[in-house]
Amino acid sequence: MSVGVTGWPVAHSRSPLIFAHWFERYGIDAIYQLVPVAPDDADAFFANLPARWHGVNVTIPHKRTAAQHAVLDETAAQLGSVNTLWREDGQVHGTSSDGHGFVANLTAIVPDWTAREPKTAVIIGAGGAAPPIVHAITPALRRIHVLNRTREKAAELAVPGRVEAHGMEALPALLPEASLLVNVTSLGMVGQPALSIDLAPLPRDAVVADIVYDPLETPLLAAARSRDLVTVDGLGMLLHQATVGFEKWFGIVPEVDEALRAKVLATL
Ligand code: NAP
């Protein structure tokens, strides 16, 4: 059985490693392949997904194109993008599992994150990774603030009464009311400048999460840990989002365990 990840480029993907771990663990006879699809070919590829693909993950830049050719679940329909396609009743279906991955990992590490007062998230960044995360945490929280260097992109995520958009200058005033702070920018990633923030105004029981996973401990997480704040790294999101495809394709919810984390960590 063939499954894989489509994107352009896809060579950097850790998904083959993640799925190979689960194939071995659950005794599944399948291969997970890298499927580079050039942007000019994407529309035709997803419009007629070749029969040999039992299911595929979709990564940048094809998430929106793929969504135009699939039966979407509620999450994918709201976001207008997919990262997981599967076959069901003779049709190709799609969902977006990044938000699930973020929330499942956060819940595994901080089970009471939704109960921490004042139930307010400060999300820094409004690029491609932000919409699924904002969408996934919105039902659980009272208020979400999205800050971005380019304020107009944050404004696209605003929901009256629930999700407010800001420029970065709003950060110091918002930190004292954050029970959850998340870096969704590429700052802190290998080769990028750090996201430098004075965390002193954060409540003592605030949770600080970063979706960057290379390095595993970003400068933001190091600063949070030095203040004894609870931290959540980005690797768990990557692993948990992959469970959705595995379940859709093979009917098993795979476990995200330490052995899997160690295998992926060894490649960073
Ligand atoms: P993206 O679409 O390129 O967005 C980049 C974001 O970073 C934008 O909000 C951008 O602000 C901001 N940014 C970049 N440089 C900046 C700077 N010098 N100062 C202030 N803001 C800056 O990227 P993405 O797809 O959202 O991904 C963001 C990061 O998350 C990447 O490191 C990616 O590897 C990681 N990621 C992790 C997972 C996971 O599973 N853990 C999943 C997806 C992504 P502007 O809008 O102003 O440019």
mmCIF file of all heavy atoms in Angstrom, residues 5-43:
data_model
loop_
_atom_site.group_PDB
_atom_site.id
_atom_site.type_symbol
_atom_site.label_atom_id
_atom_site.label_comp_id
_atom_site.label_asym_id
_atom_site.label_seq_id
_atom_site.Cartn_x
_atom_site.Cartn_y
_atom_site.Cartn_z
ATOM 1 N N VAL A 5 3.827 11.997 1.008
ATOM 2 C CA VAL A 5 3.624 13.435 1.202
ATOM 3 C C VAL A 5 3.938 14.163 -0.100
ATOM 4 O O VAL A 5 4.976 13.943 -0.723
ATOM 5 C CB VAL A 5 4.450 13.994 2.389
ATOM 6 C CG1 VAL A 5 5.940 13.716 2.229
ATOM 7 C CG2 VAL A 5 4.198 15.498 2.573
ATOM 8 N N THR A 6 3.006 15.032 -0.492
ATOM 9 C CA THR A 6 3.160 15.840 -1.695
ATOM 10 C C THR A 6 3.474 17.274 -1.294
ATOM 11 O O THR A 6 2.900 17.799 -0.340
ATOM 12 C CB THR A 6 1.854 15.857 -2.514
ATOM 13 O OG1 THR A 6 0.825 16.413 -1.687
ATOM 14 C CG2 THR A 6 1.448 14.475 -2.942
ATOM 15 N N GLY A 7 4.376 17.878 -2.019
ATOM 16 C CA GLY A 7 4.736 19.268 -1.747
ATOM 17 C C GLY A 7 5.792 19.686 -2.744
ATOM 18 O O GLY A 7 6.120 18.937 -3.669
ATOM 19 N N TRP A 8 6.348 20.869 -2.539
ATOM 20 C CA TRP A 8 7.406 21.356 -3.438
ATOM 21 C C TRP A 8 8.213 22.397 -2.700
ATOM 22 O O TRP A 8 7.730 23.510 -2.554
ATOM 23 C CB TRP A 8 6.786 21.934 -4.710
ATOM 24 C CG TRP A 8 7.787 22.275 -5.771
ATOM 25 C CD1 TRP A 8 8.329 23.504 -6.021
ATOM 26 C CD2 TRP A 8 8.353 21.380 -6.735
ATOM 27 N NE1 TRP A 8 9.195 23.447 -7.071
ATOM 28 C CE2 TRP A 8 9.236 22.153 -7.547
ATOM 29 C CE3 TRP A 8 8.217 20.006 -7.002
ATOM 30 C CZ2 TRP A 8 9.967 21.589 -8.592
ATOM 31 C CZ3 TRP A 8 8.932 19.472 -8.043
ATOM 32 C CH2 TRP A 8 9.796 20.250 -8.829
ATOM 33 N N PRO A 9 9.333 22.059 -2.087
ATOM 34 C CA PRO A 9 9.977 20.745 -2.116
ATOM 35 C C PRO A 9 9.441 19.845 -1.000
ATOM 36 O O PRO A 9 8.739 20.324 -0.102
ATOM 37 C CB PRO A 9 11.439 21.105 -1.847
ATOM 38 C CG PRO A 9 11.344 22.292 -0.927
ATOM 39 C CD PRO A 9 10.124 23.057 -1.340
ATOM 40 N N VAL A 10 9.818 18.563 -1.013
ATOM 41 C CA VAL A 10 9.420 17.655 0.070
ATOM 42 C C VAL A 10 10.606 16.900 0.671
ATOM 43 O O VAL A 10 10.447 16.172 1.641
ATOM 44 C CB VAL A 10 8.375 16.599 -0.381
ATOM 45 C CG1 VAL A 10 7.014 17.213 -0.531
ATOM 46 C CG2 VAL A 10 8.815 15.891 -1.636
ATOM 47 N N ALA A 11 11.786 17.114 0.105
ATOM 48 C CA ALA A 11 12.955 16.319 0.522
ATOM 49 C C ALA A 11 13.252 16.432 2.018
ATOM 50 O O ALA A 11 13.786 15.512 2.617
ATOM 51 C CB ALA A 11 14.180 16.737 -0.290
ATOM 52 N N HIS A 12 12.891 17.586 2.623
ATOM 53 C CA HIS A 12 13.217 17.826 4.032
ATOM 54 C C HIS A 12 12.244 17.135 4.992
ATOM 55 O O HIS A 12 12.432 17.151 6.199
ATOM 56 C CB HIS A 12 13.140 19.334 4.297
ATOM 57 C CG HIS A 12 11.756 19.860 4.054
ATOM 58 N ND1 HIS A 12 11.258 20.059 2.777
ATOM 59 C CD2 HIS A 12 10.746 20.145 4.896
ATOM 60 C CE1 HIS A 12 10.004 20.488 2.865
ATOM 61 N NE2 HIS A 12 9.672 20.536 4.139
ATOM 62 N N SER A 13 11.174 16.552 4.466
ATOM 63 C CA SER A 13 10.093 16.056 5.324
ATOM 64 C C SER A 13 10.555 14.936 6.253
ATOM 65 O O SER A 13 11.263 14.021 5.834
ATOM 66 C CB SER A 13 8.937 15.552 4.458
ATOM 67 O OG SER A 13 7.972 14.923 5.272
ATOM 68 N N ARG A 14 10.103 15.016 7.512
ATOM 69 C CA ARG A 14 10.389 13.942 8.472
ATOM 70 C C ARG A 14 9.279 12.898 8.468
ATOM 71 O O ARG A 14 9.348 11.910 9.191
ATOM 72 C CB ARG A 14 10.515 14.511 9.887
ATOM 73 C CG ARG A 14 11.924 14.763 10.323
ATOM 74 C CD ARG A 14 12.323 16.192 10.113
ATOM 75 N NE ARG A 14 13.730 16.419 10.438
ATOM 76 C CZ ARG A 14 14.317 17.585 10.267
ATOM 77 N NH1 ARG A 14 13.652 18.593 9.761
ATOM 78 N NH2 ARG A 14 15.578 17.741 10.569
ATOM 79 N N SER A 15 8.258 13.095 7.660
ATOM 80 C CA SER A 15 7.117 12.171 7.680
ATOM 81 C C SER A 15 7.495 10.724 7.348
ATOM 82 O O SER A 15 6.979 9.803 7.985
ATOM 83 C CB SER A 15 6.011 12.671 6.743
ATOM 84 O OG SER A 15 5.510 13.892 7.234
ATOM 85 N N PRO A 16 8.390 10.460 6.362
ATOM 86 C CA PRO A 16 8.738 9.054 6.101
ATOM 87 C C PRO A 16 9.269 8.341 7.347
ATOM 88 O O PRO A 16 8.938 7.187 7.596
ATOM 89 C CB PRO A 16 9.815 9.155 5.009
ATOM 90 C CG PRO A 16 9.525 10.456 4.319
ATOM 91 C CD PRO A 16 9.043 11.371 5.401
ATOM 92 N N LEU A 17 10.054 9.068 8.134
ATOM 93 C CA LEU A 17 10.620 8.498 9.357
ATOM 94 C C LEU A 17 9.519 8.203 10.382
ATOM 95 O O LEU A 17 9.498 7.134 11.015
ATOM 96 C CB LEU A 17 11.613 9.513 9.928
ATOM 97 C CG LEU A 17 12.386 9.158 11.178
ATOM 98 C CD1 LEU A 17 13.321 8.005 10.883
ATOM 99 C CD2 LEU A 17 13.206 10.379 11.625
ATOM 100 N N ILE A 18 8.598 9.154 10.524
ATOM 101 C CA ILE A 18 7.505 9.002 11.492
ATOM 102 C C ILE A 18 6.637 7.804 11.117
ATOM 103 O O ILE A 18 6.325 6.945 11.957
ATOM 104 C CB ILE A 18 6.650 10.301 11.540
ATOM 105 C CG1 ILE A 18 7.494 11.488 12.016
ATOM 106 C CG2 ILE A 18 5.415 10.103 12.419
ATOM 107 C CD1 ILE A 18 6.824 12.846 11.846
ATOM 108 N N PHE A 19 6.263 7.738 9.841
ATOM 109 C CA PHE A 19 5.359 6.652 9.422
ATOM 110 C C PHE A 19 6.072 5.300 9.437
ATOM 111 O O PHE A 19 5.474 4.282 9.790
ATOM 112 C CB PHE A 19 4.738 6.976 8.054
ATOM 113 C CG PHE A 19 3.591 7.929 8.169
ATOM 114 C CD1 PHE A 19 3.806 9.293 8.276
ATOM 115 C CD2 PHE A 19 2.283 7.470 8.235
ATOM 116 C CE1 PHE A 19 2.750 10.186 8.427
ATOM 117 C CE2 PHE A 19 1.217 8.345 8.389
ATOM 118 C CZ PHE A 19 1.447 9.710 8.479
ATOM 119 N N ALA A 20 7.361 5.275 9.091
ATOM 120 C CA ALA A 20 8.106 3.998 9.130
ATOM 121 C C ALA A 20 8.119 3.447 10.555
ATOM 122 O O ALA A 20 8.008 2.233 10.766
ATOM 123 C CB ALA A 20 9.531 4.208 8.613
ATOM 124 N N HIS A 21 8.231 4.339 11.528
ATOM 125 C CA HIS A 21 8.207 3.918 12.936
ATOM 126 C C HIS A 21 6.882 3.231 13.261
ATOM 127 O O HIS A 21 6.855 2.161 13.873
ATOM 128 C CB HIS A 21 8.402 5.155 13.821
ATOM 129 C CG HIS A 21 8.263 4.892 15.281
ATOM 130 N ND1 HIS A 21 9.306 4.413 16.063
ATOM 131 C CD2 HIS A 21 7.195 5.008 16.115
ATOM 132 C CE1 HIS A 21 8.877 4.265 17.308
ATOM 133 N NE2 HIS A 21 7.614 4.630 17.372
ATOM 134 N N TRP A 22 5.803 3.829 12.811
ATOM 135 C CA TRP A 22 4.479 3.254 13.117
ATOM 136 C C TRP A 22 4.205 1.990 12.285
ATOM 137 O O TRP A 22 3.557 1.073 12.770
ATOM 138 C CB TRP A 22 3.384 4.302 12.893
ATOM 139 C CG TRP A 22 3.361 5.382 13.940
ATOM 140 C CD1 TRP A 22 3.730 5.283 15.251
ATOM 141 C CD2 TRP A 22 2.922 6.741 13.767
ATOM 142 N NE1 TRP A 22 3.560 6.475 15.903
ATOM 143 C CE2 TRP A 22 3.060 7.396 15.015
ATOM 144 C CE3 TRP A 22 2.432 7.467 12.684
ATOM 145 C CZ2 TRP A 22 2.718 8.732 15.205
ATOM 146 C CZ3 TRP A 22 2.077 8.806 12.878
ATOM 147 C CH2 TRP A 22 2.225 9.424 14.127
ATOM 148 N N PHE A 23 4.685 1.938 11.034
ATOM 149 C CA PHE A 23 4.496 0.715 10.230
ATOM 150 C C PHE A 23 5.112 -0.478 10.955
ATOM 151 O O PHE A 23 4.525 -1.550 11.055
ATOM 152 C CB PHE A 23 5.146 0.856 8.850
ATOM 153 C CG PHE A 23 4.483 1.854 7.934
ATOM 154 C CD1 PHE A 23 5.181 2.436 6.875
ATOM 155 C CD2 PHE A 23 3.149 2.217 8.113
ATOM 156 C CE1 PHE A 23 4.582 3.346 6.033
ATOM 157 C CE2 PHE A 23 2.539 3.143 7.262
ATOM 158 C CZ PHE A 23 3.264 3.709 6.226
ATOM 159 N N GLU A 24 6.322 -0.263 11.487
ATOM 160 C CA GLU A 24 7.014 -1.338 12.194
ATOM 161 C C GLU A 24 6.271 -1.687 13.489
ATOM 162 O O GLU A 24 6.017 -2.854 13.777
ATOM 163 C CB GLU A 24 8.439 -0.858 12.493
ATOM 164 C CG GLU A 24 9.361 -1.970 12.945
ATOM 165 C CD GLU A 24 10.739 -1.419 13.320
ATOM 166 O OE1 GLU A 24 11.152 -0.370 12.785
ATOM 167 O OE2 GLU A 24 11.374 -2.053 14.176
ATOM 168 N N ARG A 25 5.883 -0.659 14.212
ATOM 169 C CA ARG A 25 5.234 -0.856 15.510
ATOM 170 C C ARG A 25 3.909 -1.602 15.371
ATOM 171 O O ARG A 25 3.556 -2.446 16.198
ATOM 172 C CB ARG A 25 5.017 0.535 16.132
ATOM 173 C CG ARG A 25 4.076 0.617 17.287
ATOM 174 C CD ARG A 25 4.793 0.428 18.629
ATOM 175 N NE ARG A 25 3.836 0.450 19.711
ATOM 176 C CZ ARG A 25 3.533 1.536 20.417
ATOM 177 N NH1 ARG A 25 4.140 2.675 20.179
ATOM 178 N NH2 ARG A 25 2.647 1.461 21.387
ATOM 179 N N TYR A 26 3.137 -1.290 14.325
ATOM 180 C CA TYR A 26 1.801 -1.886 14.185
ATOM 181 C C TYR A 26 1.761 -2.974 13.105
ATOM 182 O O TYR A 26 0.679 -3.468 12.764
ATOM 183 C CB TYR A 26 0.760 -0.787 13.901
ATOM 184 C CG TYR A 26 0.658 0.197 15.053
ATOM 185 C CD1 TYR A 26 1.266 1.449 14.979
ATOM 186 C CD2 TYR A 26 -0.002 -0.151 16.232
ATOM 187 C CE1 TYR A 26 1.219 2.335 16.050
ATOM 188 C CE2 TYR A 26 -0.057 0.729 17.313
ATOM 189 C CZ TYR A 26 0.565 1.972 17.205
ATOM 190 O OH TYR A 26 0.518 2.836 18.274
ATOM 191 N N GLY A 27 2.931 -3.345 12.569
ATOM 192 C CA GLY A 27 3.003 -4.443 11.602
ATOM 193 C C GLY A 27 2.220 -4.168 10.331
ATOM 194 O O GLY A 27 1.512 -5.045 9.823
ATOM 195 N N ILE A 28 2.354 -2.957 9.804
ATOM 196 C CA ILE A 28 1.622 -2.589 8.585
ATOM 197 C C ILE A 28 2.550 -2.652 7.366
ATOM 198 O O ILE A 28 3.670 -2.110 7.401
ATOM 199 C CB ILE A 28 0.991 -1.196 8.746
ATOM 200 C CG1 ILE A 28 -0.197 -1.338 9.710
ATOM 201 C CG2 ILE A 28 0.535 -0.616 7.417
ATOM 202 C CD1 ILE A 28 -0.809 -0.070 10.134
ATOM 203 N N ASP A 29 2.059 -3.328 6.328
ATOM 204 C CA ASP A 29 2.856 -3.505 5.116
ATOM 205 C C ASP A 29 2.560 -2.338 4.158
ATOM 206 O O ASP A 29 1.644 -2.419 3.339
ATOM 207 C CB ASP A 29 2.492 -4.846 4.466
ATOM 208 C CG ASP A 29 3.341 -5.124 3.238
ATOM 209 O OD1 ASP A 29 4.382 -4.464 3.080
ATOM 210 O OD2 ASP A 29 2.945 -5.983 2.435
ATOM 211 N N ALA A 30 3.284 -1.260 4.324
ATOM 212 C CA ALA A 30 3.047 -0.071 3.485
ATOM 213 C C ALA A 30 4.349 0.688 3.334
ATOM 214 O O ALA A 30 5.289 0.493 4.110
ATOM 215 C CB ALA A 30 1.986 0.823 4.140
ATOM 216 N N ILE A 31 4.392 1.541 2.325
ATOM 217 C CA ILE A 31 5.548 2.424 2.209
ATOM 218 C C ILE A 31 5.064 3.873 2.141
ATOM 219 O O ILE A 31 3.980 4.155 1.601
ATOM 220 C CB ILE A 31 6.443 2.125 0.978
ATOM 221 C CG1 ILE A 31 5.596 2.002 -0.293
ATOM 222 C CG2 ILE A 31 7.295 0.892 1.203
ATOM 223 C CD1 ILE A 31 6.441 1.984 -1.538
ATOM 224 N N TYR A 32 5.858 4.744 2.725
ATOM 225 C CA TYR A 32 5.544 6.181 2.754
ATOM 226 C C TYR A 32 6.592 6.886 1.892
ATOM 227 O O TYR A 32 7.781 6.833 2.181
ATOM 228 C CB TYR A 32 5.595 6.702 4.190
ATOM 229 C CG TYR A 32 5.058 8.110 4.342
ATOM 230 C CD1 TYR A 32 3.765 8.339 4.823
ATOM 231 C CD2 TYR A 32 5.834 9.227 4.004
ATOM 232 C CE1 TYR A 32 3.276 9.628 4.966
ATOM 233 C CE2 TYR A 32 5.344 10.510 4.130
ATOM 234 C CZ TYR A 32 4.058 10.707 4.616
ATOM 235 O OH TYR A 32 3.568 11.988 4.753
ATOM 236 N N GLN A 33 6.129 7.527 0.828
ATOM 237 C CA GLN A 33 7.065 8.093 -0.140
ATOM 238 C C GLN A 33 7.001 9.617 -0.206
ATOM 239 O O GLN A 33 5.961 10.212 0.085
ATOM 240 C CB GLN A 33 6.770 7.523 -1.524
ATOM 241 C CG GLN A 33 7.110 6.049 -1.635
ATOM 242 C CD GLN A 33 6.738 5.500 -2.999
ATOM 243 O OE1 GLN A 33 5.594 5.122 -3.233
ATOM 244 N NE2 GLN A 33 7.704 5.461 -3.889
ATOM 245 N N LEU A 34 8.093 10.197 -0.627
ATOM 246 C CA LEU A 34 8.112 11.624 -0.925
ATOM 247 C C LEU A 34 7.598 11.797 -2.351
ATOM 248 O O LEU A 34 8.058 11.107 -3.266
ATOM 249 C CB LEU A 34 9.545 12.167 -0.835
ATOM 250 C CG LEU A 34 10.208 12.053 0.534
ATOM 251 C CD1 LEU A 34 11.670 12.515 0.449
ATOM 252 C CD2 LEU A 34 9.467 12.896 1.569
ATOM 253 N N VAL A 35 6.628 12.679 -2.542
ATOM 254 C CA VAL A 35 6.013 12.858 -3.862
ATOM 255 C C VAL A 35 6.135 14.329 -4.261
ATOM 256 O O VAL A 35 5.227 15.138 -4.005
ATOM 257 C CB VAL A 35 4.518 12.452 -3.834
ATOM 258 C CG1 VAL A 35 3.969 12.364 -5.258
ATOM 259 C CG2 VAL A 35 4.300 11.146 -3.095
ATOM 260 N N PRO A 36 7.271 14.706 -4.854
ATOM 261 C CA PRO A 36 7.384 16.103 -5.271
ATOM 262 C C PRO A 36 6.418 16.401 -6.412
ATOM 263 O O PRO A 36 6.374 15.670 -7.400
ATOM 264 C CB PRO A 36 8.846 16.229 -5.733
ATOM 265 C CG PRO A 36 9.371 14.842 -5.884
ATOM 266 C CD PRO A 36 8.458 13.892 -5.179
ATOM 267 N N VAL A 37 5.618 17.448 -6.235
ATOM 268 C CA VAL A 37 4.665 17.863 -7.281
ATOM 269 C C VAL A 37 4.924 19.346 -7.538
ATOM 270 O O VAL A 37 4.733 20.178 -6.634
ATOM 271 C CB VAL A 37 3.196 17.635 -6.837
ATOM 272 C CG1 VAL A 37 2.236 18.192 -7.878
ATOM 273 C CG2 VAL A 37 2.926 16.157 -6.589
ATOM 274 N N ALA A 38 5.377 19.674 -8.736
ATOM 275 C CA ALA A 38 5.690 21.071 -9.060
ATOM 276 C C ALA A 38 4.411 21.910 -9.032
ATOM 277 O O ALA A 38 3.324 21.397 -9.361
ATOM 278 C CB ALA A 38 6.339 21.148 -10.441
ATOM 279 N N PRO A 39 4.515 23.181 -8.660
ATOM 280 C CA PRO A 39 3.325 24.030 -8.573
ATOM 281 C C PRO A 39 2.464 23.998 -9.836
ATOM 282 O O PRO A 39 1.226 23.945 -9.735
ATOM 283 C CB PRO A 39 3.906 25.418 -8.310
ATOM 284 C CG PRO A 39 5.169 25.133 -7.563
ATOM 285 C CD PRO A 39 5.719 23.863 -8.143
ATOM 286 N N ASP A 40 3.085 23.988 -11.005
ATOM 287 C CA ASP A 40 2.297 23.991 -12.252
ATOM 288 C C ASP A 40 1.519 22.693 -12.455
ATOM 289 O O ASP A 40 0.561 22.652 -13.231
ATOM 290 C CB ASP A 40 3.225 24.210 -13.457
ATOM 291 C CG ASP A 40 3.636 25.672 -13.569
ATOM 292 O OD1 ASP A 40 3.060 26.498 -12.847
ATOM 293 O OD2 ASP A 40 4.541 25.973 -14.375
ATOM 294 N N ASP A 41 1.947 21.626 -11.785
ATOM 295 C CA ASP A 41 1.299 20.324 -11.968
ATOM 296 C C ASP A 41 0.279 20.011 -10.871
ATOM 297 O O ASP A 41 -0.418 18.989 -10.930
ATOM 298 C CB ASP A 41 2.357 19.196 -11.954
ATOM 299 C CG ASP A 41 3.398 19.390 -13.053
ATOM 300 O OD1 ASP A 41 3.059 20.025 -14.068
ATOM 301 O OD2 ASP A 41 4.537 18.923 -12.876
ATOM 302 N N ALA A 42 0.224 20.865 -9.849
ATOM 303 C CA ALA A 42 -0.543 20.511 -8.652
ATOM 304 C C ALA A 42 -2.039 20.370 -8.937
ATOM 305 O O ALA A 42 -2.684 19.419 -8.473
ATOM 306 C CB ALA A 42 -0.308 21.553 -7.557
ATOM 307 N N ASP A 43 -2.604 21.307 -9.692
ATOM 308 C CA ASP A 43 -4.042 21.265 -9.944
ATOM 309 C C ASP A 43 -4.438 19.938 -10.594
ATOM 310 O O ASP A 43 -5.371 19.261 -10.160
ATOM 311 C CB ASP A 43 -4.436 22.461 -10.819
ATOM 312 C CG ASP A 43 -5.893 22.822 -10.634
ATOM 313 O OD1 ASP A 43 -6.306 23.034 -9.477
ATOM 314 O OD2 ASP A 43 -6.619 22.828 -11.643
#
